[in-house]
Amino acid sequence: MTRYSAFAIVREALRGNAGWPRALPDAAPRQRYRVIVVGAGGHGLATAYYLARNHGIADVAVLEKGWLGGGNTGRNTTIIRSNYLRDPSAAVYEKSRSLYETLSQEINFNVMFSPRGVLMLAQTHHEARAFQRTARANALQGIKTEYVAPFRAQELCPILNVRGPRYPVLGGLWQPRGGTARHDAVAWGYARACAAMGVDIVQNCAVTGIRRAGGKVVGVDTAKGPIDCDKLCIVVAGHSGQLAEMAGFRLPVESVALQALVSEPVKPLMDIVVMANTVHGYLSQSDKGEMVIGGGADGFNNFTQRGSFHHIEETVRALCETFPVISRLKMLRQWGGVVDMTGDRSPIISKTPVEGVFINCGWGTGGFKAIPGSGWATAEMVANGAPGHLAGPFGLDRFREGRMIDESVAAAVAH
Amino acid sequence: MSTRLATGGTRIDRSQRLGFTWDGQPLQGFAGDTLASALLANNQVLVGRSFKYHRPRGVVAAGPEEPNALVGLGTGGSFEPNARATTTALADGMLVASQNAWPGLAHDVGVVNGWLSRFLRAGFYYKTFLWPRAFWKRLYEPAIRRAAGLGRAPDRADADRYEYLYLHADVLVAGGGIAGLAAAREAAQAGLRVLLIEQEACWGGRAATDGVTVDGKPAADWVAGTVAELQAMETVTLRLRTTVTGVHDHGFVTALEAADAGPRQRLWRIRARHIVAATGAIERPLPFAQNDRPGVMLAGAVRDYAVHYAVSPGDRTVVVTNNDDAYRTAIALREAGLTVPAILDARLRVEGALPERARAMGIPIKPGHAVAGSVGRGRVEGVAVCVQAGEGAVLETIPCEAVAMSGGWSPTVHLWSQAGGKLRWDAAQLLFRPDPARPPIGADGAAIVTAAGAANGVLPAGDCLEDGVAAGRAAAKALGAKPQTGKAATAAAPEEAPIEAVWCMPQGAPPALRDKIWLDFQNDVTMSDVALAAREGYESVEHAKRYTTLGMATDQGKLSNIGGLAVLAEARGATIPEIGTTTFRPPFTPVTLGAIGGEARGALFKPTRKTAMDGWHDANGAVWEPVADWRRPFCYRKPGETVDQAVAREVRNTRRNLGILDASTLGKILVTGPDAGRFVDTLYTNRMSTLKPGRCRYGLMCNENGFLFDDGVVARIDDHSFLCHTTSGGSDHVHAWMEEWLQTEWWDWQVYTANLTEQFAQIAVVGPQARAVLEALGGIDLSADALPFMGWTEGTLAGIPARVFRISFSGELSFEIAVPAAHGQALWDRLMAAGAAHAIAPYGTEALHIMRAEKGFIMIGDETDGTVTPQDLGLDWAVSKKKDDFLGKRAQARADLTRPDRWRLVGLQTLDPRTRLPDGAHAVDGTVLPTGIRRTIGRVTSTYMSPTLDRSIALGLVERGPERIGEVIRFADGRGHIEARIVDPVFYDPQGERQNG
């Protein structure tokens, strides 16, 4: 692997930029691997990376149906935060956020983690109380967040309309080390780092069947032929249900389309990420200058990577109201991704009824921020054959036991 | 220099001069000009700077595909950044400013990026800015952000309005060229309702400019005649200056209209049974070195500016092409009296009607020749000529002021593709065209889009019209109408010889030239960048796009797409169709966010729901609180009072004398029908069907996971009917919840539900004097015998038909009176008048909350958060043990919900009565979890200073709470702790005697 640096850039430029080696791997699959990871999105690649790095297991193939990073990893609004209420969530998302802090240096690929701060607006009394509760929980979790007054929110984001008229900003939950990263780069960087450690990443290699013998996984059938394995880890987000079905079990997940959009690029306009949950919209500005906008998911299950226009309307309307100066900017591009939602809106990192098959799914609308931590926890589970303390609470058994990890506090009703 | 010609210009009105300013410089144009044509007419060839290298950029195109001519328009609340000059109609007094240049357009320091371009190749930023780590946030990123972006955003709220219009049509025809007009006409003649939309300010598309004839007459005559015919038909709607921006899920179409008066823009929301996409084609640039220099334009655009706007791009224009169409430009320029020093045609064989005509006009044609590079300082001053088959050895340099280039045309397949239609590669014409075998389909599997004309890959103008006719007839037939079958008008245009592939000019251009061959003019992506991406493994089209940013600029790759695919194909040794395209996504052209928002701004953003007594509250000191979509008085402040003082006064007065509360926002859902009893028994945890008419019962609703999500009092109206009261915020959700079960699971049950929340005004009269004041109103016997606690009755109160419920959320004697909403204010007034003798005073939501907390009553959303069961809250008494089933019953038997150490409801009293536990505080036991998180054993759910008890009180959920009454636990607060004693949750009147008064 050629080490990336400013020096390398100068050196290669002087040689006419003809010497750059391949960065994105695409291997032909071997006959057998110790571990096969299905899905070369962020979570799958991170799982493979930490299997090799933390557990010395590099005899790994990551099989990707299409192009790596082409699912939700390349379709999200890139928000990274860990200001969660429940302890199990806080633990995994904060692990993730802290790994993002040093990821660029660790994998020698600039993923542009930008700890610019994330502000979640409280626009009802109920939401204000919920965020105060979260801030207090975060203090005990070792996560630096703060409940801030409206004037501070205005200071952090001058284009914010704190006065309403409909939903004045009553306060906000501020996480100064939350932020964004370059989503594609996360996938590319992990892929390059995986390959450097000997992991095979195989693109255009859809898994078509999961072979079992005696209740245990023995391999997969793919578009590029059968491949044997000792362990199989399914990390395919929106299509988890189909893979589980191939393995012979069912998952408590629903797949829905979630949309995002960007405006045309403009000069720096806002320096932080703002999430307005009451009116339902998120806004941040990419380094390129585009305003990046996210909103609600479709109310019906589907696999189209599109989504209904009325969600775009609702989101844009909410954000024009919250940030009046964006009204004359123009929507440049909109797109959708398929997210898999669980009943408690928390992920699944779990063993499955099939021996040797593990699954990581259910990140719903917020998986990007979790990529490093999720990969870390999943690798630990796959390597040891059992979840560690990060993954433990997210097992499939929780649905049977009713041990929900429900983060939808702000969505509860007020009298 | 580029100038206005003395004569000509089919679209301008020379009698109307329009003044505008460009970077402070006053200029003039004519009515009918676009901003781009007006700038060109004033010799403003340099109009912008590119995104990355800040290279000088000029107008390239004449339509929505323009990547360069992006400007700032207007000022203040009317300022618009990144406005596309080629699609902006010139207006008198227009303020136009260049952008992305500092200190000025002509001398922009950003050009240093260009000098460093070999260090800033595709993806360079992924390889550097790594160390020191803290520098990314503090130094690198801010610098990158300042350099990036295009225009500035406005600095204030939008001064304009936007509106939505809804339209249903049988056939939507997108595009008003000859194919679209023909399709619209055929569909309309078949008796269908037709909507015809054209993005430009006039009809007819390219046909008139390109010398097409229809039935032997100039195309313009046929266009005028057809438009007149369509305008005369009542079933046809025509819209100019409106762009179909997207075909969304389920065939939903949006179109953006630039309005002339009233709102700034209208977003049309269209449902059409069938869509005809007659959206034309977009010309491609040619990939030669320095093809980005101002003065290098698309050949079709040069022709448009000359013919439509009488703009000369300069005295001498060199045409460079790989197809016959560009000859039309040479001919048009010559006809306008301008010089074409040469036509460089990359093809070795040049024959056919158009080249012959050019040759006959004396224009030198150089077959097999190409451009090795444009030359000039800041703008084109000449082209270096080479042979296409070579590596770029310069044969001569031809001085010129402009270059008209044509690399062929790409059908505008956006709408087809957005809707889900697939494309096929046409190897003869070198373009992707709609594959009729794989069209976009609707729910019934039938095609919903038909492509027509150039958009369908039918480029020859003569065939375009015929294809439009066929599309219109096909659409009519698909919808079951009877299309005409006779012979339609036929168009004719000179035959054209085949295009030849030129994906690099010259064919063997060395890296030094490829470094300067621009594919994406706005984002500064060169052939070398795409080749580098492929070499580094970013070879899938999506990877290459994301790595190089090719096609991600504001023109969304309308010019660059095919060129990039060709480079990838070459690098991978594959064909263009093997590479495939990126996904076409809406919008076709950028859509103003304000237009997407429409009228829903300010007060209309989410209209506030108001109760019948809202005006009274407002006039009497209400401090408002948003509750769901309602607004409710938080308290009523008297002069000189703080909010806290007002709340305390309201609580004391209600407990001592008489309070009155507007409870109208409470959800009221009528459940009726033969199976209503069975239904409410399944919804609620306790049994409701045994309730007698005239009686009320408090009930809880749980979700399938067994967690409490709503509560309220159910009143039995008659044998078949229950009135279910819900929380204010929960009424819509509960109603939807009921309907979901009825419609998806129990569709055979005879139950009907109606949300009556807004039909009734509901007033709570609360306090020791409550009965006295109601008796003073007269009309209903409200004695304890006639109306016991948890009973309801109906009759006429003060002459108003009313239902009176004897229920209490405060612990006081309390009546809730529901009257038709129209009578709400009248009843309120009567109560206030009659209550004056009893010191009646209104109270708001905060007093309501405090009084219920004093009584240990739970509040949905405070004590519950989606993870709390009725049992956790000590509400076991409201959970039936006898019923076979109810929603949540099975779930409540699961291991985690029966865990003995669950957090359960208790009261909390701080050891210091003046200290209030903070909202959301957590109790800790001093241990630490393996994750490093401090273990919590409980939390505060409601916390108040109690005016009644004159001390702080709180409710909370604590691990094994009820077993630990009397124990003192510690709540974390900053670095310290607050100690509180676990007590019974009922702080006031534990025997519940007051409500029986």
Side-chain angles (χ1 to χ4, degrees), chain A residues 4-5 9 17 20 23 108-112 182 185 188 192, chain B residues 52-53 117-130 144 523-526 528-530 532-533 536 538 543-550:
Chain A
Y4 287 162
S5 65
I9 285 183
N17 283 307
W20 290 110
N108 182 234
F109 198 99
N110 192 352
V111 302
M112 304 181 195
R182 175 85 182 94
W188 300 343
R192 174 168 166 269
Chain B
K52 186 172 169 187
Y53 300 142
S117 64
R118 66 168 152 173
F119 304 107
L120 309 182
R121 281 288 165 216
F124 78 97
Y125 30 69
Y126 299 118
K127 299 170 180 166
T128 184
F129 304 130
L130 290 165
I144 289 172
N523 272 358
D524 281 322
V525 182
T526 64
S528 294
D529 286 314
V530 177
L532 174 63
E536 293 189 277
Y538 303 90
H543 283 149
K545 165 185 142 186
R546 287 153 184 259
Y547 191 63
T548 63
T549 72
L550 176 85

Side-chain angles (χ1 to χ4, degrees), chain B residues 503-577:
Chain B
W503 304 121
C504 182
M505 179 174 263
Q507 175 194 305
L513 284 188
R514 289 177 186 234
D515 281 354
K516 296 194 163 51
I517 298 178
W518 257 255
L519 295 173
D520 190 316
F521 295 125
Q522 189 185 121
N523 272 358
D524 281 322
V525 182
T526 64
M527 277 187 80
S528 294
D529 286 314
V530 177
L532 174 63
R535 190 158 65 245
E536 293 189 277
Y538 303 90
E539 55 198 358
S540 117
V541 59
E542 290 285 355
H543 283 149
K545 165 185 142 186
R546 287 153 184 259
Y547 191 63
T548 63
T549 72
L550 176 85
M552 297 183 80
T554 62
D555 59 304
Q556 289 286 283
K558 291 186 180 73
L559 294 190
S560 61
N561 223 321
I562 286 282
L565 296 180
V567 179
L568 282 176
E570 186 193 6
R572 279 172 53 180
T575 62
I576 288 176

Side-chain angles (χ1 to χ4, degrees), chain B residues 725-744:
Chain B
H725 290 101
T726 75
T727 59
S728 296
S731 64
D732 290 343
H733 172 67
V734 170
H735 189 222
W737 171 253
M738 289 176 170
E739 284 299 320
E740 183 180 346
W741 285 102
L742 285 173
Q743 291 176 31
T744 62

